[in-house]
């Protein structure tokens, strides 16, 4: 089992930045890849970014150039730096981890971009 706990969300003005964190615990060694997803009201959950155990990263087009995913292996934590935020970035941001047999989700952290 893997447990994921997100933090760092909040209310920010357009153009602002936030750093989201996701702390993993449990069967850490079984994780192959971790990532971030988001879900805005009335929309389906969408993929944002992924980072592998080797540190390779990929991004959805919506976040390229503005979002940066990273990891701290010593702390079993991944981060999502979100810059130049737009109102359309408002959503609940979820952390996810995938093992060979399972996928795990955190409870989400709310990001609201508004003036």
């Amino acid at each position: 089992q893997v447990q994921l706990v997100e933090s760092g969300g909040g209310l920010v003005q357009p153009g602002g930045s936030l750093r989201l964190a996701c702390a993993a615990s449990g069967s850490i060694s079984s994780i192959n890849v971790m990532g971030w997803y988001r879900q805005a009201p009335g929309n389906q959950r969408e993929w944002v970014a992924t980072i592998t155990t080797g540190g390779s990263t990929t991004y959805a087009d919506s976040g390229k150039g503005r979002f940066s995913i990273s990891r701290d292996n010593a702390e079993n934590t991944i981060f999502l730096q979100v810059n130049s935020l737009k109102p359309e970035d408002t959503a609940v941001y979820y952390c996810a981890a995938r093992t060979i047999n399972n996928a795990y989700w955190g409870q989400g952290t709310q990001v609201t971009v508004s003036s």
Side-chain angles (χ1 to χ4, degrees), residues 56-102:
S56 297
T57 60
T58 52
Y59 297 91
D61 288 343
S62 59
K64 283 182 179 178
R66 299 189 300 125
F67 294 177
S68 177
I69 189 170
S70 61
R71 65 189 302 145
D72 182 336
N73 290 331
E75 298 294 330
N76 297 320
T77 300
I78 67 167
F79 303 94
L80 185 70
Q81 178 70 38
V82 292
N83 299 324
S84 303
L85 283 162
K86 307 173 184 179
E88 52 263 42
D89 294 317
T90 295
V92 177
Y93 284 70
Y94 295 92
C95 176
R98 191 169 72 234
T99 66
I100 291 178
N101 297 314
N102 289 292

Side-chain angles (χ1 to χ4, degrees), residues 26-42:
S27 301
I28 303 299
S29 61
S30 66
I31 296 174
N32 295 325
V33 62
M34 295 185 70
W36 289 94
Y37 291 72
R38 67 184 184 182
Q39 187 167 17

